[in-house]
């Protein structure tokens, strides 16, 4: 073997016992010990777009409460009744009968219990009549489960749909205060329906036997005789189209004596950071700032959740009953959104769960309709009739795979929906949100109290509408 060949063989790296060649340079694992790693700030999957917090106009709320003054309204009740279920038996909760306008204000629980006990349960097949136009009203009917549709004669002799009724709705209550009333439209079950009925004979027997009930219904009739506009507000007398010099009506605008007040709610937590962490591990990122940033993000997510779902002031629980409409067939169709939009003036945006938006897109695709998009705050957002359809995953989806779509008008100037908060708080971190140092304990842990104060108010009922029972599974 020549010297050149020997040199070439010796230059080839020799394999180690495990079959790998020995390293000939510094490896990356060792090199990283001398390098500064490029890092991102801590990421968080919980963060969402939070469109509701962005689009609501916020009103400065001094004193922690916001009073919504309105004209005096004569209409009461007209709410939805709730039921208890035991196996196949469905019973109306006695106190829930107060949601029927004529029965609101009855404080005698034994009387309410007796009324509730007289309701009879029956099952109605799809397509069966619950009421027929022209026939006597046979009792008070409560829809426990299912969907019924109301039909009346149209202007050209055809049948026109007058709307849908769903769980908790009721009809026939006029039998309590009118003599021999008759149905003025048909009521037909659109699906199998469970209905509870208080027969007319039972109503007559109770009114005759219980003086307290008769007196209460007399007071209701007297209250209904007060003049009111179509919204139930105390009327303002105005002379129109008169000639000569007649005596003009004297009037005034009456206000509600006990207007609703919204108190600011609070979301709080205590952020704890060890002083050793803050002292020694503060580069290249400030540990306190990052801990606080993520805590505030979680607090805002909870704030939006409460603005929608809180039973005291949340939008889903504070929409007027006449501003809640069910879908016609289950999935959200263009017809349903048109109905929702048309019931209010100057609708500004729609708010829906992303899955509801996808379901609406499928219904549009079936019809060969392609919704437009609009530029909304620098984002391309799907829209219907030019109204942005904003996603919000805080709107709940029920076990039956149904959800809701909200339509809002906002701002005090337009008598809309407004967010409430108080600014100028001690140690304010953001408007309506404060971070207060609570001290260092004996374990050298620093504590900070993080607080957010907020609420939301609906100034007039038609500022908020809800499309209910939106099916997303079809």
């Amino acid at each position: 073997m020549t010297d050149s060949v020997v040199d070439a063989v010796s230059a080839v790296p020799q394999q180690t016992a495990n079959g790998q060649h020995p390293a000939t340079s510094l490896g990356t694992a060792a090199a990283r010990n001398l390098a500064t790693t490029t890092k991102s700030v801590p990421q968080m999957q919980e963060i969402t777009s939070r469109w509701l917090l962005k689009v609501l106009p916020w009103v400065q709320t001094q004193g922690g409460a916001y009073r919504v003054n309105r004209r005096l309204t004569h209409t009461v009740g007209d709410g939805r009744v709730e039921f208890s279920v035991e196996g196949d038996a469905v019973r109306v909760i006695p106190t829930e009968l107060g949601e029927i306008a004529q029965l609101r204000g009855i404080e005698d629980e034994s009387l309410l219990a007796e009324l509730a006990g007289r309701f009879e349960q029956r099952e109605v097949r799809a397509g069966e009549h619950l009421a027929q136009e022209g026939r006597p009203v046979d009792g008070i009917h409560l829809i426990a489960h299912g969907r019924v549709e109301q039909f009346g004669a149209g202007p050209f002799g055809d049948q026109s749909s007058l709307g849908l009724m769903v769980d908790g709705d009721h009809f026939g209550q006029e039998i309590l205060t009118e003599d021999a009333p008759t149905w003025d439209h048909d009521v037909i079950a659109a699906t199998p329906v469970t209905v509870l009925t208080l027969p007319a004979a039972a109503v007559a027997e109770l009114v005759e036997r219980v003086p307290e009930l008769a007196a209460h219904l007399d007071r209701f009739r007297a209250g209904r005789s007060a003049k009111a506009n179509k919204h139930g507000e105390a009327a303002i007398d105005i002379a129109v189209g008169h000639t000569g010099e007649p005596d003009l009506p004297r009037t005034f605008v009456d206000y509600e004596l006990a207007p609703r007040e919204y108190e600011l709610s609070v979301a709080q937590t205590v952020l704890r950071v060890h002083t050793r962490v803050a002292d020694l591990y503060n580069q290249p990122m400030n540990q306190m700032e990052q801990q606080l940033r993520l805590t505030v993000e979680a607090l805002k997510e909870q704030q939006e959740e409460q603005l929608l779902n809180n039973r005291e002031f949340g939008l889903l629980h504070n929409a007027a009953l006449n501003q809640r409409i069910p879908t016609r067939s289950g999935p959200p169709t263009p017809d349903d959104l048109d109905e929702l939009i048309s019931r209010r003036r100057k609708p500004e945006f729609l708010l829906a769960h992303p899955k509801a938006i996808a379901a609406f897109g499928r219904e549009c695709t079936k019809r060969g309709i392609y919704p437009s998009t609009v530029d909304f705050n620098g984002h391309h957002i799907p829209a219907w009739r030019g109204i942005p359809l904003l996603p919000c995953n805080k709107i709940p989806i029920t076990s039956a795979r149904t959800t809701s779509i909200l339509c809002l008008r906002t701002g005090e100037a337009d008598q809309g929906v407004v967010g409430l908060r108080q600014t100028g708080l001690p140690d304010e971190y953001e408007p309506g949100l404060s971070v207060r140092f609570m001290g260092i304990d004996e374990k050298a842990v620093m504590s900070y109290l993080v607080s957010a104060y907020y609420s939301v108010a609906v100034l007039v009922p038609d500022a908020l509408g809800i499309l209910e029972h939106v099916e997303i599974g079809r």
Side-chain angles (χ1 to χ4, degrees):
M1 186 178 294
T2 62
D3 292 343
S4 59
V5 174
V6 172
D7 292 341
V9 172
S10 62
V12 177
Q14 301 299 309
Q15 290 185 341
T16 60
N18 59 7
Q20 295 182 347
H21 296 292
T24 60
S25 65
L26 181 65
T28 56
R32 288 181 61 185
N33 292 329
L34 300 183
T36 299
T37 303
T38 302
K39 295 176 279 289
S40 74
V41 296
Q43 306 299 302
M44 184 175 178
Q45 293 188 68
E46 188 182 3
I47 298 175
T48 64
S49 54
R50 295 196 295 264
W51 279 112
L52 182 60
L53 297 186
K54 295 176 183 177
V55 299
L56 276 182
W58 292 91
V59 175
Q60 168 71 349
T61 308
Q62 295 290 355
Y66 184 83
R67 179 181 298 157
V68 178
N69 289 309
R70 292 178 179 171
R71 280 175 61 183
L72 179 64
T73 302
H74 291 302
T75 54
V76 295
D78 299 327
R80 284 188 178 159
V81 180
E82 294 184 5
F83 307 87
S84 62
V85 180
E86 298 177 8
D88 293 333
V90 180
R91 296 182 177 86
V92 60
I93 300 172
T95 54
E96 286 294 311
L97 291 176
E99 294 298 331
I100 299 174
Q102 288 87 338
L103 300 179
R104 172 161 290 191
I106 295 179
E107 299 180 355
D108 188 345
E109 294 185 4
S110 62
L111 175 55
L112 292 175
E114 184 171 2
L115 281 167
R118 294 294 190 94
F119 279 86
E120 302 171 357
Q121 178 181 345
R122 62 191 178 105
E123 305 296 326
V124 180
R125 297 187 304 272
E128 186 176 338
H129 278 76
L130 283 81
Q132 287 185 279
E133 183 178 358
R135 292 191 176 183
V137 176
D138 58 350
I140 304 173
H141 302 277
L142 311 179
I143 307 299
H145 180 67
R147 187 194 308 264
V148 301
E149 190 164 5
Q150 304 171 85
F151 292 95
F156 303 103
D158 56 342
Q159 286 288 94
S160 298
S161 175
L162 303 179
L164 293 168
M165 289 187 290
V166 292
D167 304 5
D169 285 329
H170 53 271
F171 59 100
Q173 60 272 17
E174 58 268 24
I175 199 172
L176 291 166
T177 52
E178 298 179 15
D179 294 329
T182 58
W183 298 114
D184 57 3
H185 58 271
D186 293 339
V187 181
I188 302 174
T191 65
V193 173
T194 300
V195 61
L196 299 184
T197 300
L198 179 62
V203 172
E205 189 271 331
L206 283 169
V207 171
E208 183 178 353
R209 182 170 57 85
V210 183
E212 294 83 358
L213 178 59
H216 175 84
L217 296 178
D218 287 340
R219 288 193 296 270
F220 178 85
R221 294 187 190 95
R224 281 295 174 119
S225 64
K227 294 178 65 176
N229 62 19
K230 65 179 181 179
H231 302 291
E233 298 171 329
I236 300 174
D237 293 327
I238 299 175
V240 179
H242 54 280
T243 58
E245 299 181 355
D247 291 335
L248 296 179
R250 296 172 177 81
T251 189
F252 66 96
V253 181
D254 207 353
Y255 301 136
E256 289 185 353
L257 295 179
R260 178 170 180 179
E261 290 191 357
Y262 294 83
E263 292 188 1
L264 293 184
S265 183
V266 61
Q268 291 179 309
T269 189
V270 176
L271 174 62
R272 294 163 59 84
V273 179
H274 201 287
T275 53
R276 180 175 57 198
V277 172
D279 292 342
L280 302 181
Y281 302 97
N282 240 14
Q283 294 294 334
M285 297 178 190
N286 187 296
Q287 293 282 357
M288 180 60 202
E289 285 184 3
Q290 297 304 321
Q291 289 278 305
L292 183 58
R293 180 180 67 85
L294 296 182
T295 301
V296 169
E297 293 285 357
L299 210 60
K300 288 182 177 179
E301 293 292 331
Q302 186 61 37
Q303 180 179 350
E304 187 177 60
E305 168 84 21
Q306 291 294 302
L307 291 180
L308 285 166
N309 297 299
N310 187 284
R311 299 200 68 87
E312 294 281 333
F313 57 83
L315 296 180
L316 288 172
H317 298 282
N318 282 269
L321 268 296
N322 59 2
Q323 298 297 330
R324 298 174 181 267
I325 61 174
T327 56
R328 292 172 178 263
S329 58
T333 64
D335 297 334
D336 291 323
L337 289 196
D338 285 342
E339 178 76 11
L340 179 64
I341 291 169
S342 66
R343 290 203 179 192
R344 65 214 73 261
R345 59 182 173 84
K346 197 179 177 182
E348 294 182 26
F349 62 89
L350 299 158
L351 202 66
H353 194 282
K355 292 186 177 180
I357 297 176
F360 176 67
R362 290 193 294 270
E363 294 302 310
C364 290
T365 302
K366 288 179 184 178
R367 301 186 180 198
I369 300 172
Y370 301 97
S372 61
T373 60
V374 295
D375 187 1
F376 188 77
N377 291 357
H379 298 267
H380 287 289
I381 299 294
W384 180 248
R385 307 295 188 194
I387 301 173
L389 186 55
L390 305 178
C392 178
N393 68 346
K394 311 298 190 311
I395 300 175
I397 296 176
T398 68
S399 58
R401 303 290 292 168
T402 62
T403 183
S404 301
I405 297 177
L406 289 76
C407 182
L408 288 85
R409 178 179 71 248
T410 62
E412 284 187 309
D414 290 319
Q415 300 182 103
V417 180
V418 295
L420 309 176
R421 69 185 179 194
Q422 184 172 327
T423 59
L425 300 170
D427 301 312
E428 191 168 62
Y429 181 80
E430 290 181 4
L433 190 150
S434 68
V435 180
R436 309 185 74 172
F437 180 62
M438 298 174 62
I440 304 174
D441 65 14
E442 63 277 6
K443 296 181 180 179
V445 176
M446 299 183 296
S447 297
Y448 294 84
L449 177 64
V450 186
S451 306
Y453 300 95
Y454 56 88
S455 189
V456 63
V458 182
L459 300 188
V460 296
D462 77 334
L464 170 64
I466 299 181
L467 180 67
E468 297 184 314
H469 305 285
V470 176
E471 293 184 7
I472 61 175
R474 292 195 187 182

